[in-house]
Amino acid sequence: ALVWGTFPIVTPPADGVDAIVAMASAAVATRGFAGPGDIIAIAAGMPFGVAGSTNLLRIEQLPAEPAPSPAVRETVLEAERG
């Protein structure tokens, strides 16, 4: 089971895989779950916005630069506030 060491984070809807990667990277960096150069796993469903369609597992390495863009970070935090 893929449970130990995982931190599920729900992000706002995205319009593509690149947007999902950017939001996930910002979300983990903002919370301190991962840092520059760390590897993260992203689970999503395609087509986006369809419940129960998780069929994508993307493995990404966070960039060497530590800070995500302020706009992406704010989008992630706003989505969590409701």
Side-chain angles (χ1 to χ4, degrees):
L2 185 64
V3 177
W4 180 82
T6 62
F7 302 94
I9 299 170
V10 177
T11 60
D15 58 0
V17 175
D18 290 339
I20 290 282
V21 170
M23 283 191 281
S25 298
V28 298
T30 299
R31 290 166 186 77
F33 291 155
D38 286 346
I39 296 173
I40 62 171
I42 304 162
M46 294 179 69
F48 297 117
V50 178
S53 66
T54 304
N55 59 3
L56 170 72
L57 179 62
R58 177 84 175 247
I59 308 300
E60 283 288 327
Q61 184 172 21
L62 295 183
E65 300 83 40
S69 76
V72 171
R73 185 176 342 165
E74 186 58 32
T75 300
V76 170
L77 293 175
E78 279 183 27
E80 286 188 350
R81 289 191 285 259

